[in-house]
Amino acid sequence: MGGLSFSDRAARSVWRIFPKRALSGAIGWSGGWNLPTALRVTMLSRFARVYGIDVSEAEKPLAEYSGFDDFFTRKLKPGLRPVDRSPGRVVSTSDGTVVGSGVIERGQLVQAKGVLFALDELLGDARSAARLEGGAYFITYLSPKDYHRVHSPVGGRIVGWRHLPGVLFPVNARSVNREPRLFVGNERFVTFIEGEAGFAAVVMVAAVGVGHVTAAYDEAVATHRPQFLRAGISQRSYDEPRPIGRGDELGTFHLGSTTIVVFEPGRVQLDPLTPGSAVKMGAGIGRFVPATATSRGD
C-alpha cells in the first residue's frame, strides 16, 4: 500500500473517518421514497443517464417504478440473461466487472495486486473456510449501472446463511486498491450452497450507499431491519435445505457492491477471467468436476 498516490492516501483518510453508515442510511431512506407519478419518468430517466443504465433492459416502463430503489432493484425483461445450461457449467452470479479470480492459497484470496485477505475473516466461520481452502474463487464488482440481483452459480440446496455487520467503504477499483481490509471489514451476507459442485459460498459485500441486502429465498432477511443492525453475527442453518437452480435468484443489493464466490477445492475449474472485463449474469465462467472424477484423481 506504500505506492499510493497523495490523492489516494488523502481519500483513504477521509473515508476512514467519514460517517459511512449514516450516509448509507440516508441514501437508503431517500431511495425508498415514492416519487410523484408526474415526475417519475423525468427523474428516473435523468438518474439512468447519469449512471449509464440501459433502461431498455428493464422489465417495466419507467413510469411503473415507484421510486429510485424500486428502479435500482429492477428485474430484467425475460430472456435477456440466458443461463448457460451446458452440462457441468458454472455461471456468473451477477452483471459487473471482474475484479479477480484464482485459487485460495494458505487461506488467502487476492483483493488487488499485493493485497490479500483471509477466507476465514471473509466468512466469519473457520469451519466453512477449512472446507473451502484450496478452492477456486471469483470476484465481481457491481457498479451503479449494473443489474443488482445476485443469482446462484450452480444448482443445489441452500443449507444456510450468515450475516456479518461491518463498515461500509466504497468498493470501486480505487477503494479496493487503497483499503487493504475492504472485503473483510465491510458488511457481508453469505449464502452457503451444497450441490452439483460440492460446497460453495456466495458472499454479497455491502458498500457505502447500499441501503440493505435482501434474500430471495428467505423473506426474513433484510439487513436494514433492527434485528440485523443491532445484532452481532446473525446466522441460520436450514433443517430442510432450500432447493436452488443454476441461475436462480439468491438476493438483491439495494445499491451497488461486490460478490465473491468460493468453491470447494478440486470441484471447479474457472475459465480465464481477465480483471476489468465485463461479465453478465448467467454466462458460463467455468466448469465443475464431478465428485467421482475428483475421487479418482482425474
Side-chain angles (χ1 to χ4, degrees):
M1 304 299 288
L4 293 177
S5 66
F6 174 79
S7 61
D8 279 335
R9 292 197 302 273
R12 181 180 61 186
S13 298
V14 169
W15 275 112
R16 286 182 176 181
I17 62 175
F18 196 83
K20 298 174 283 296
R21 179 66 64 179
L23 174 62
S24 297
I27 293 172
W29 176 68
S30 60
W33 290 348
N34 288 340
L35 295 173
T37 303
L39 297 178
R40 286 179 186 175
V41 173
T42 299
M43 295 184 73
L44 293 178
S45 294
R46 184 174 299 170
F47 179 81
R49 285 196 301 273
V50 169
Y51 289 106
I53 298 170
D54 184 354
V55 298
S56 70
E57 293 190 334
E59 179 188 42
K60 302 182 295 186
L62 288 181
E64 295 184 20
Y65 291 98
S66 62
F68 291 109
D69 183 69
D70 189 28
F71 174 63
F72 204 89
T73 59
R74 65 196 176 278
K75 292 184 177 181
L76 302 179
K77 291 176 180 176
L80 283 181
R81 296 292 184 274
V83 176
D84 189 339
R85 302 293 184 188
S86 304
R89 291 295 277 169
V90 173
V91 302
S92 174
T93 56
S94 58
D95 286 9
T97 302
V98 176
V99 176
S101 63
V103 174
I104 300 163
E105 297 182 6
R106 297 183 295 279
Q108 301 286 315
L109 295 77
V110 177
Q111 174 176 302
K113 186 176 181 180
V115 180
L116 305 176
F117 64 98
L119 179 62
D120 58 352
E121 288 190 85
L122 178 72
L123 304 178
D125 179 3
R127 181 176 298 180
S128 295
R131 287 191 65 183
L132 296 167
E133 167 63 31
Y137 70 90
F138 72 100
I139 306 172
T140 307
Y141 166 63
L142 291 73
S143 74
K145 70 179 178 62
D146 291 315
Y147 165 66
H148 275 78
R149 292 174 184 253
V150 176
H151 297 248
S152 182
V154 292
R157 303 173 310 281
I158 297 171
V159 297
W161 56 260
R162 176 180 289 255
H163 173 254
L164 300 99
V167 295
L168 292 172
F169 282 105
V171 292
N172 55 42
R174 295 189 70 172
S175 188
V176 165
N177 285 320
R178 69 182 177 230
E179 192 56 53
R181 290 182 51 79
L182 182 64
F183 294 144
V184 298
N186 273 22
E187 180 179 357
R188 300 164 320 279
F189 181 77
V190 188
T191 298
F192 296 104
I193 301 171
E194 293 268 13
E196 57 191 3
F199 184 57
V202 179
V203 185
M204 297 173 68
V205 183
V208 67
V210 175
H212 59 284
V213 171
T214 52
Y217 58 85
D218 192 331
E219 63 181 13
V221 175
T223 61
H224 67 307
R225 291 176 178 164
Q227 62 265 39
F228 287 92
L229 290 175
R230 297 171 185 167
I233 295 175
S234 303
Q235 58 188 351
R236 181 176 181 183
S237 296
Y238 296 115
D239 293 331
E240 296 184 6
R242 305 191 173 189
I244 189 79
R246 188 190 312 175
D248 286 356
E249 187 179 330
L250 291 175
T252 303
F253 282 120
H254 292 252
L255 271 181
S257 200
T258 295
T259 59
I260 302 173
V261 185
V262 187
F263 298 100
E264 189 174 333
R267 297 302 305 274
V268 168
Q269 295 178 350
L270 295 175
D271 298 339
L273 299 168
T274 304
S277 62
V279 66
K280 296 294 186 182
M281 189 286 295
I285 59 166
R287 67 181 185 90
F288 63 83
V289 180
T292 52
T294 303
S295 64
R296 292 196 308 265
D298 294 352

